[in-house]
Amino acid sequence: MREVELKMKERAAELLQSGEVARVIGWKKGEFYFDPTPAVFESADELDGFVYNGFCGANLSKYLIQQSKKEGKTAIFLKPCDSFSFNQLVKEHRIKREDIYVIAIECQGKLDVEKLKEKGVSAVTEVEENGGEVVVSSLYGTVTLAKDEVLLSKCETCKSKVHQVKDEEIVFNEMQAGKKDRFEMVEKLEAMTEAERFAFWKEQLSKCIRCNACRNVCPACSCIKCVFDNPASGVAAKANDSEFEEQMFHIIRAFHVAGRCTDCGECSRVCPQNIPLHLLNRKFIKDIDTLYGEYQAGETADGKTPLTSYTESDAEPNDVMNGEAK
Amino acid sequence: MQEVTEKKEFTPNIVAFCCNWCSYAGADLAGSSRLTYPANVKIIRVPCSCRVNPMFVLKAFQQGADGVILCGCHPGDCYYVTGNYYTRRRMSLLYSFLNYMGIEKERTRVEWVSAAEGARFSAVMNDFVKQVTELGENRRLTDLRVKEGE
Amino acid sequence: MLKIAKERLNELYGKIAQTQGLFIPVKKAGEVNYAIWGEGKEVSLETLKTVKSPKNMFFPQTENMMKFKTEGKNIDIIDMRDEKRPYVLFGVKACDYKAIEVLDKVFLADPVDTFYKARREATTIVTLACSRPEESCFCSVFGIDATAPAGDVTVWLDNENLYWQSNTEKGEALTAAVKELFTDGGEAEVEAQKAATKEILQKLPFAALDLSRFKPENLNELFDDPAWEELSEACLGCGTCTFVCPTCQCFDIRDFKTNDGILRYRCWDSCMYSDFTLMAHGNSRTTQMQRYRQRFMHKLVYYPSQNDGLYSCVGCGRCVNKCPQHLNIVKVIKTLGGKNDD
Amino acid sequence: MIEETLIPKVGVVTDIRKDTPDVKTFRVVGTDGKKLFEHMPGQCAMVSVPGVGECMFSITSSPTNQEFMEFSIKKCGCVTEVLHAMEVGQQITVRGPYGRNFPVEEDFKGKDLLFIAGGIGLAPLRSVINYVRHYRENYGKVVIVYGARSADDLVDFEEIKTEWKNEPNFEVYLTIDRPQEGWDDHVGFVPSYVKELGLDSNMTAVLCGPPIMIKFTLQGLLELGFEKSRVYTTLELRMKCGVGKCGRCNVGDKFVCKDGPVFRMDQLDELPDEY
């Protein structure tokens, strides 16, 4: 990863110095090794804190909505999964392709600091990735862990390591998609009884604190005014721990991004209560795939989405419910 | 929350979203033909079945509906040509999703009822009411605050 | 000092729960939050930081205040509070305890918030000393001693025992009710643990944060500091930091129509939200930078200026752990706190 | 004294007066027919329509009125819209009084007073003006400069014409933004009118109106030689609790609901520019 970071920094400096771009969106060093923050660099001098490591899990594409409206071109570093979101934003006219310079970067899967903590590793000072292993240095010593065990859950089921869009590429090593099937857990839930599923979601959603992190980080949630913030909508309630409002918020949010969600997994990554929110979106993805043909949001920046198109022979809702539709 | 096992004398609240051009006219025809359907079916007329935002369905449940049925023109017969094709996809996904959240699948339904199908309207409603009555009160997708003091 | 073997803690919980509600960190669906204790609940005192802070007990995320029944042109107001049964809040860390003191200054200041007060008075707080502080902890910066928190009762926990010391009248009453489960002793163990923890506390990376510039007299200078732009750039405007924060106290009051009158409730709100200051004719904070600045200025300057220099941050580090994009108060303190213009 | 901070009292709207096309004045008493609570000029109250919302309004009537309270309310949001659609006899809820009042018993005493208002900005000043009229002997000369978009937008025009104008040692100057048929008084914006009038800078001034009017009028006053420490205004921000707890109406370390709404210009100068 080190060589990737160096090259990224070098290119960022070149682009800024030559004036080709007015700003570069990347990551800068946080307080620790494991908390880099998305950042906008406007000059080469600011690049001192530039960082790219195994903890740069954040999807930067949503920042483009604000940043690319500013004067001049914006360069952005996109991991393969982020490039899907980028296309989706272009498709929805939230950003303009020509305003942005896309640098596709290598990603070997990102790490989850909470999983490290569960393994008893705290006060991490550095992490070196070595094939299937990660060597974690901390104030309390060095440990070697299997990388698969400490990946962000969104990376475990990484759908593709192919950049969907790029102006240039910084990739040194071959990248591999996730080993786990991303619909495994959805299928498991589908196999449960209604009552079991209800209990599962009730327990998970009861943790929700309605902080809106999932919504605000989601590149598909790009409404200028969310219906849940609009007093005139009649649902802008904030009775944060009312059971119904939790259901309502998550159902409506999942539905609103259905067919547009690229499965970037940011919602689950940011949830302070670790609710597996991606399982909501994946149900829609799975249903769309089964009922209306395989569809991956963000694969292209044009074309219709499953919910804005139809065929005359689409399945009947009642058949879908009875499991008779294919 | 306790699951209700007792079902005696339970009359469900049913919300039926009916498109103005077919299903609402179908309900009208049922009425003028003296075909009955239960009084606890509350019809909400919408310009097209496609007008029904998932939020409406949730709102209905929040306010105490035990079942929600959506009726529109038969696919291909939409007054606005294609509206109900979109409805079909939307509601397939929404209802499937609600079921994934553990909401009983018998609580939701989509039926196509034309303006000429007064008898069918009445039969559909009777059947749906029966189905929801057997299922019992909606406890999984409802706002307890609304029902407070009842 | 009293002690009880760790494996007998369930007996202690059961005993307390016989007469009072017991709120304690409980693991549910993988996350630890304060919840009412019951047989079979997975208590996790070892968890350093519950996701939600215990402020939830006195200032619930959602609280029904009153109901309005309307008939024709008339309105009837129904007070919805019931007699508060006594509660024990168990396992509060030093930082969270301090945070309750911070909240007290807001809610118990004249005019008193009677909703908060009733809960506060009905609750006995049992604090738990920390023995394994994390890298994100910085309570010592605010003068908090994590090894000896205040509270009605203070307890320490090691691998074998829980040690118990009551500090107040309320604490004595609780002690009397559970005393039969305890034996005397534990002073030496507690002292040893305190010493060991203090050593770790000194080594923590944020132990030396400099707050010297956060003074009321620098209010305008800090407010106008250009650094806010950059600090807030990555802020998503979600409310995670405010909802996990033990001292954030902003709330909203809203009405909800039920089949049985109109319910007026209050719920947590966040200064990070765009509609927080929205009025019919405008909004005083239109950019995320302004909202971000408000949050930290409130904690580090406005609140202290109104409360004799007491900061409204207790260094629990929840925002350090939970911010989706890793923005936090530490960055603000590092950027603005020690910079001296003279 | 407020026993219950957040639980309001029920009030009955006994009279609704339409002042301008978008301002109505509501007269409110308790269910027992008496005044709900005592207040001082400049203080506010939280008025609510259950199910719609609760808003802070300044109490327009003078504390010397022993029978009722009045609120002059401009239609501009959801609560005010419902209030405007209301009929006499309707109950609403009221809690208060909140905030600091104008220093009518301290700094204003014995002084010549200048009141400058624009549009609905007269509402909070009306309370002071009528208080001053009631205790006339305690105060010196009173000058009122009041402007609105048009003659129809002048709030309380009747009272101004029939009572204020006839009060001894009272000078009332009215102005409207654009010429209008039947209007033979001054035409022009308040700030420039204030400068034209060449007012005595030893007066204590009270300003209330839209932010832009306050800004330019203040400039004008300073040019005339007024001191900021003798110019008062009253602020308005989003409020939910009214008692300095809900955390949204602060300007710097001051809460408008608790430390305001009345501020002196020199006090405002010390606060960050966020209102």
Side-chain angles (χ1 to χ4, degrees), chain B:
Chain B
M1 207 194 297
Q2 272 181 325
E3 294 300 314
V4 170
T5 42
E6 269 181 289
K7 282 169 197 160
K8 62 179 175 190
E9 286 184 55
F10 165 67
T11 339
N13 287 317
I14 303 292
V15 172
F17 291 102
C18 291
C19 100
N20 180 47
W21 307 99
C22 291
S23 310
Y24 195 81
D28 245 3
L29 182 61
S32 53
S33 324
R34 312 209 164 198
L35 294 162
T36 58
Y37 62 88
N40 46 339
V41 176
K42 308 284 190 294
I43 296 182
I44 297 178
R45 179 157 63 155
V46 286
C48 173
S49 59
C50 183
R51 173 69 184 90
V52 178
N53 181 319
M55 193 86 89
F56 296 2
V57 177
L58 290 188
K59 267 286 204 191
F61 281 124
Q62 177 183 31
Q63 299 297 321
D66 298 296
V68 172
I69 181 165
L70 195 149
C71 302
C73 311
H74 286 273
D77 293 341
C78 177
Y79 183 84
Y80 304 100
V81 188
T82 56
N84 54 8
Y85 284 126
Y86 295 104
T87 312
R88 191 160 64 173
R89 282 202 169 187
R90 219 176 273 165
M91 290 302 140
S92 296
L93 291 174
L94 177 69
Y95 288 174
S96 165
F97 185 76
L98 290 180
N99 188 241
Y100 177 73
M101 303 281 290
I103 314 308
E104 304 91 335
K105 63 179 178 200
E106 293 83 0
R107 290 208 192 280
T108 49
R109 201 192 271 191
V110 175
E111 291 286 352
W112 313 120
V113 178
S114 80
E117 293 175 322
R120 184 170 141 74
F121 184 87
S122 149
V124 161
M125 290 304 158
N126 278 303
D127 183 63
F128 188 59
V129 169
K130 185 165 156 273
Q131 179 180 317
V132 178
T133 311
E134 280 166 15
L135 189 62
E137 195 187 345
N138 167 24
R139 289 278 183 136
R140 291 186 182 166
L141 188 61
T142 188
D143 200 322
L144 294 173
R145 294 174 300 169
V146 175
K147 291 187 173 176
E148 235 169 62
E150 267 179 10

Side-chain angles (χ1 to χ4, degrees), chain D residues 133 159-170 172:
Chain D
R133 283 176 58 213
E159 189 173 288
I160 297 171
K161 270 195 302 198
T162 57
E163 299 184 28
W164 296 4
K165 283 202 165 183
N166 300 325
E167 193 80 32
N169 210 10
F170 251 58
V172 180

Side-chain angles (χ1 to χ4, degrees), chain D residues 153-246:
Chain D
D153 289 300
L154 288 164
V155 180
D156 284 311
F157 199 26
E158 274 310 303
E159 189 173 288
I160 297 171
K161 270 195 302 198
T162 57
E163 299 184 28
W164 296 4
K165 283 202 165 183
N166 300 325
E167 193 80 32
N169 210 10
F170 251 58
E171 287 174 23
V172 180
Y173 301 99
L174 300 176
T175 181
I176 58 174
D177 292 354
R178 272 173 292 276
Q180 190 177 345
E181 207 157 307
W183 180 262
D184 39 24
D185 227 323
H186 187 271
V187 174
F189 294 117
V190 172
S192 43
Y193 193 28
V194 166
K195 275 200 268 184
E196 283 169 36
L197 287 166
L199 299 155
D200 171 11
S201 64
N202 288 319
M203 288 192 286
T204 297
V206 183
L207 286 180
C208 188
I212 191 83
M213 181 214 102
I214 294 198
K215 191 180 158 198
F216 288 110
T217 310
L218 179 66
Q219 268 177 20
L221 289 178
L222 295 178
E223 281 169 34
L224 291 171
F226 278 80
E227 270 172 41
K228 278 191 175 175
S229 59
R230 294 180 66 180
V231 180
Y232 292 78
T233 190
T234 160
L235 294 184
E236 179 190 25
L237 283 174
R238 174 83 160 175
M239 294 172 194
K240 282 287 179 180
C241 70
V243 286
K245 302 192 194 297
C246 80

Side-chain angles (χ1 to χ4, degrees), chain C residues 251-252 269 276-277 285, chain D residues 238-240 246-250:
Chain C
F251 59 84
D252 196 354
D269 203 350
F276 186 66
T277 48
R285 294 182 204 120
Chain D
R238 174 83 160 175
M239 294 172 194
K240 282 287 179 180
C246 80
R248 67 197 68 218
C249 69
N250 68 306

Side-chain angles (χ1 to χ4, degrees), chain A residues 15-16 18-25 40-44 46 67 70-75 99:
Chain A
L15 287 166
L16 286 168
S18 69
E20 220 172 311
V21 302
R23 65 196 68 79
V24 176
I25 307 180
V40 181
F41 302 92
E42 283 177 342
S43 76
E46 293 172 20
Q67 297 296 337
K70 295 182 181 166
E71 186 73 35
K73 218 168 178 170
T74 306
D99 291 343

Side-chain angles (χ1 to χ4, degrees), chain C residues 17 34 37-38 43 88 97 104 133 150 156 171 202 215 221 228 323:
Chain C
Y34 282 85
W37 182 85
V43 175
V88 172
Y97 186 75
D104 282 353
W156 289 261
Q202 279 175 0
K215 291 196 186 106
E221 187 188 304
W228 291 112
C323 174

